[in-house]
Amino acid sequence: MPYSIRRTGLWVSAVLILTRMSCMAMAQAETVPEVDRLANLVEQSLESQPEVLAAQAAVESARAQLSGSALPLNNPELELEAERTDINTYSIGFSQTLDWHDKQDVLRQVVQARVDVAEQQLQALKLTKSAELLQAVGDTLTRRQVRLLASERAGMLGRFERLAEKRHAVGDIPLAELELARLSLAEARMEQASKTAMLVAADSDFYSLSGIRLPDDMRLPERLSVSALSDDGAMAIARQHPAVSTARGNARIARSRILAAETERKPDPTLGLSAGREDRENLLGLSLTIPLLLRNDFSSEVKAAEADSLQTEHEAQQIFRDIVAGLHASHQRFRLFDDAWQAWASLGRISLQQRLKLLERQWQAGELSSTDYLLQIEQSLETQITAAELKGDRWNAWVEWLGASARLDDWLSQAPKEQ
């Protein structure tokens, strides 16, 4: 008997373990394909997104300019001269402006900084567009669910209005309750039209971002979570954000322009060599030309570059603050919406249909007045709509967090990371 008990206990433990593993596998199977579909949707949309394509063209333009900056700044000049008088004169000359102050290297540094910024702007734009697209997905799916609930509401109240007419015909309810049923049905139909219009707007916004239609069977993942966020952690995350990197890159460009302006104002000499013949005599000439900065020393360009550098530094600091603030705000919003969603989920998400059928039976049995019946129907439906909108708010806050922390690509690829 003890052996039998132990063996039975082992079988029960094994079944429990297998059941738990099966549930975990099912939960993962429900989530991973959803994330994969969202990742494919984002990738497909970014491939044809006009703003992203424009940013990619800007990167190619900057790289082409970088290749050009490796070439010398000044080309040689050829000069031919001929004069026929009593004395025939012919000459040919070459002149070359020298890059005496290494302006080419300074220019190359500026162009390299522009390439870096163009690449960072592309990454920042992809992050922004991906977040906007995922939020548009959430808005569209939320509007679909709300429109469905509004349709169910209109359907239930239409059934209630028909039953009220029958009960009024046999004298079970007064005319006032029948008019109340008709008024409630009219209001429900107006609300249904309003929710449908909101869905049309959400569909339009999604198509504007993606260029495609959202599949009817698309679903949002529900297993979303974030860990605690400290001030130091937020600042460390913000330093790596593409938007901050772009702002700091613009500041580097502005600083390099100061050096470029200082170098540009320094005059470069031009050397010339000429040879010719005047009548029967050979001519050979050598020239040196140096601009004199007497009327304009171009110091104003340097001052303007210094002011631009100071401006970009301040702008970079503000963008850094904005990212840190956005991290804390999106983190807090997600926690608030997630707590409310988990509280709703713990109630078991009572079936709306079961609830409405029970209310209808109580009303037909005379246990509820028409006013109480309509009040409870409205409360039940409004609760369901609020829950659907809460789920959408939770998703949007989650996407905002992923965008603010620049972890959206990691999440879409399911790369190992700490949330």
Side-chain angles (χ1 to χ4, degrees):
M1 182 64 67
Y3 171 76
S4 177
I5 293 175
R6 286 196 302 268
R7 184 172 62 182
T8 302
L10 290 173
W11 275 107
V12 171
S13 300
V15 170
L16 290 175
I17 293 173
L18 290 174
T19 302
R20 183 178 180 182
M21 292 176 63
S22 176
C23 292
M24 293 175 61
M26 290 176 62
Q28 184 177 8
E30 291 174 358
T31 302
V32 173
E34 294 168 351
V35 178
D36 289 343
R37 293 188 67 187
L38 289 172
N40 292 334
L41 182 65
V42 169
E43 182 179 2
Q44 180 183 356
S45 300
L46 291 182
E47 288 177 353
S48 59
Q49 219 288 327
E51 291 184 52
V52 173
L53 295 178
Q56 290 175 345
V59 172
E60 295 302 322
S61 174
R63 289 173 179 172
Q65 292 177 12
L66 180 60
S67 299
S69 67
L71 302 176
L73 293 179
N74 305 307
N75 286 310
E77 295 182 2
L78 172 65
E79 182 179 357
L80 298 175
E81 184 178 353
E83 183 179 357
R84 297 192 66 179
T85 59
D86 295 339
I87 300 175
N88 296 327
T89 304
Y90 305 94
S91 67
I92 182 172
F94 292 90
S95 63
Q96 174 67 60
T97 300
L98 304 179
D99 186 8
W100 194 259
H101 302 285
D102 201 11
K103 295 178 180 178
Q104 179 184 354
D105 183 65
V106 175
L107 177 62
R108 186 194 60 79
Q109 294 178 24
V110 174
V111 176
Q112 179 63 64
R114 289 175 179 170
V115 172
D116 295 338
V117 168
E119 293 174 345
Q120 291 159 355
Q121 285 177 331
L122 176 59
Q123 296 303 317
L125 181 62
K126 285 184 176 181
L127 178 62
T128 299
K129 291 301 177 182
S130 298
E132 289 178 356
L133 182 64
L134 290 180
Q135 287 187 330
V137 171
D139 291 340
T140 301
L141 295 181
T142 299
R143 293 300 114 203
R144 284 181 181 178
Q145 182 63 24
V146 170
R147 195 274 303 268
L148 177 62
L149 292 171
S151 299
E152 292 181 354
R153 174 190 180 188
M156 289 297 300
L157 292 179
R159 174 179 170 79
F160 172 68
E161 189 264 347
R162 291 190 297 272
L163 291 175
E165 288 182 349
K166 293 179 180 179
R167 293 190 63 184
H168 173 69
V170 297
D172 287 346
I173 60 174
L175 178 61
E177 293 191 7
L178 175 59
E179 294 298 331
L180 179 61
R182 290 171 176 172
L183 182 63
S184 299
L185 176 59
E187 181 184 2
R189 288 174 175 170
M190 288 187 290
E191 186 69 16
Q192 181 182 3
S194 175
K195 301 302 184 185
T196 302
M198 295 174 68
L199 173 59
V200 171
D203 281 332
S204 177
D205 292 340
F206 176 79
Y207 183 82
S208 177
L209 285 169
S210 64
I212 59 177
R213 298 296 179 185
L214 187 65
D216 294 334
D217 60 343
M218 180 67 72
R219 296 291 181 271
L220 293 179
E222 294 190 6
R223 295 193 303 167
L224 310 173
S225 63
V226 296
S227 58
L229 179 68
S230 64
D231 291 338
D232 292 339
M235 296 179 70
I237 293 174
R239 293 188 188 97
Q240 305 300 322
H241 196 281
V244 175
S245 299
T246 299
R248 290 177 174 173
N250 286 327
R252 286 193 296 271
I253 292 177
R255 288 194 298 269
S256 63
R257 283 176 177 167
I258 296 176
L259 179 59
E262 291 176 344
T263 306
E264 187 65 28
R265 64 191 293 262
K266 297 177 181 179
D268 289 327
T270 301
L271 291 178
L273 178 65
S274 63
R277 187 175 179 84
E278 183 178 358
D279 200 9
R280 296 181 180 180
E281 295 183 5
N282 295 325
L283 301 176
L284 182 63
L286 180 65
S287 64
L288 173 64
T289 303
I290 300 178
L292 299 178
L293 305 181
L294 298 178
R295 302 183 64 186
N296 186 0
D297 62 357
F298 301 100
S299 59
S300 58
E301 282 77 0
V302 177
K303 293 180 180 179
E306 291 174 346
D308 289 341
S309 177
L310 186 60
Q311 175 186 350
T312 55
E313 290 287 350
H314 291 321
E315 290 174 348
Q317 293 173 5
Q318 186 59 54
I319 291 175
F320 177 78
R321 289 184 180 182
D322 292 342
I323 295 298
V324 172
L327 277 167
H328 285 294
S330 60
H331 186 272
Q332 293 174 4
R333 279 197 296 269
F334 176 77
R335 283 294 183 87
L336 289 172
F337 290 135
D338 187 59
D339 289 344
W341 174 255
Q342 297 301 333
W344 163 252
S346 66
L347 296 177
R349 304 179 193 177
I350 302 173
S351 171
L352 176 63
Q353 294 298 331
Q354 293 179 358
R355 170 70 172 167
L356 296 180
K357 288 180 180 179
L358 176 60
L359 291 174
E360 184 178 322
R361 287 197 298 268
Q362 291 177 334
W363 174 71
Q364 290 186 3
E367 299 175 6
L368 284 177
S369 66
S370 297
T371 302
D372 291 338
Y373 173 70
L374 289 173
L375 179 63
Q376 294 199 40
I377 282 183
E378 292 291 338
Q379 183 179 11
S380 298
L381 289 167
E382 285 300 324
T383 300
Q384 293 285 341
I385 291 176
T386 301
E389 292 175 342
L390 173 63
K391 184 178 180 180
D393 292 337
R394 175 177 178 260
W395 170 256
N396 286 338
W398 166 253
V399 174
E400 287 178 7
W401 159 255
L402 290 179
S405 60
R407 296 179 179 179
L408 194 148
D409 289 339
D410 291 339
W411 180 73
L412 288 176
S413 63
Q414 293 291 285
K417 60 187 180 302
E418 180 182 356
Q419 297 292 347

